[in-house]
Amino acid sequence: MTGSSDTFWEILYDKVLCFRIDSLSGRLGFSEVGLKYTTPVLSCCLFLVFMPICFSAFLRPRKEDHIHTRAALRALLSVVVPTCSLWPSRYIKFASASCSRIDIPLEAIIEDTIDGVIEFCDPTNDLAELIDSGATVNGHTICINIGWKWWINYFQWWMVAKVRTAYYLPDI
C-alpha cells in the first residue's frame, strides 16, 4: 500500500509539477540541464516573495489603533454609558472607525436605549447637544448620524401633516 501511494505521488510530481516547471523554465530561458536545480530555487524565491505579503497584515503594529479606540471610547463615556461592564461591539466599531468625529446612527441609539444596553449620563443636556451640533469631548465630536430611512419617514410625516392642515382649514 505504501509503495503504491509513493508511486502515485512520484507520478503526480513528475507529470504535473515538473511539466509546469519545464514549460515555465523554457519560457524563462533555462536549460534542461539546470532544470533540477531551478525547481528548488524557483520555489524558494516564490516562497520568499509571497510570505511577507501574506503576513504583512498580521505584522503591522496595532497599538496605535487600540490607543485611539480607547481615547474615543473615553470621550463617548462622558455622554453614553453602557449598562454592563463591557462596551457593545457596535460602539467599539464606531470608536475605532472615527478620527476625531464619532458618528452614531440614530437607529442604534434608539434601539440600544430601549433595550437597556446604553444610558445617557445627562439625558436632557446631552440629547439636546447631540441633536444640535454634536458633543465635543477631549477633542472628539460625538454626533448623531441620521440615516436615509429617518429622513424618508420625516418627509412622509411632514407631507401628511401638510395635507391634513390644508384639508381642515376653514374657508374664510
Side-chain angles (χ1 to χ4, degrees):
M1 190 79 169
T2 319
S4 64
S5 66
D6 289 340
T7 311
F8 171 74
W9 291 111
E10 288 173 2
I11 291 171
L12 182 68
Y13 175 77
D14 288 340
K15 299 294 181 188
V16 177
L17 187 62
C18 287
F19 174 73
R20 292 186 183 197
I21 291 176
D22 281 340
S23 62
L24 180 64
S25 64
R27 289 182 193 152
L28 295 176
F30 293 124
S31 65
E32 290 184 22
V33 177
L35 182 61
K36 290 187 178 184
Y37 301 110
T38 57
T39 304
V41 171
L42 192 59
S43 60
C44 286
C45 289
L46 290 175
F47 178 77
L48 291 174
V49 167
F50 287 114
M51 285 310 289
I53 293 171
C54 292
F55 288 112
S56 65
F58 298 112
L59 298 177
R60 70 181 179 98
R62 295 178 184 251
K63 197 169 203 174
E64 294 87 20
D65 293 342
H66 291 302
I67 292 171
H68 170 71
T69 304
R70 285 182 188 147
L73 287 174
R74 251 185 267 120
L76 193 59
L77 192 61
S78 64
V79 177
V80 177
V81 179
T83 55
C84 65
S85 61
L86 296 175
W87 277 100
S89 61
R90 72 165 71 174
Y91 290 93
I92 294 173
K93 288 178 186 174
F94 298 150
S96 63
S98 68
C99 290
S100 63
R101 181 183 167 109
I102 303 170
D103 287 324
I104 304 172
L106 178 63
E107 188 172 338
I109 290 177
I110 292 173
E111 286 176 6
D112 291 341
T113 305
I114 291 172
D115 293 341
V117 176
I118 62 166
E119 294 177 352
F120 284 94
C121 295
D122 186 12
T124 54
N125 293 329
D126 290 338
L127 280 174
E129 194 174 354
L130 285 174
I131 290 171
D132 185 30
S133 62
T136 304
V137 180
N138 297 333
H140 292 278
T141 304
I142 303 165
C143 298
I144 293 178
N145 183 8
I146 302 172
W148 285 105
K149 173 186 156 188
W150 292 99
W151 286 113
I152 291 170
N153 288 342
Y154 170 74
F155 182 71
Q156 288 174 345
W157 172 79
W158 182 74
M159 289 298 292
V160 168
K162 287 293 180 184
V163 169
R164 282 185 185 162
T165 56
Y167 181 72
Y168 290 116
L169 285 177
D171 294 331
I172 298 178

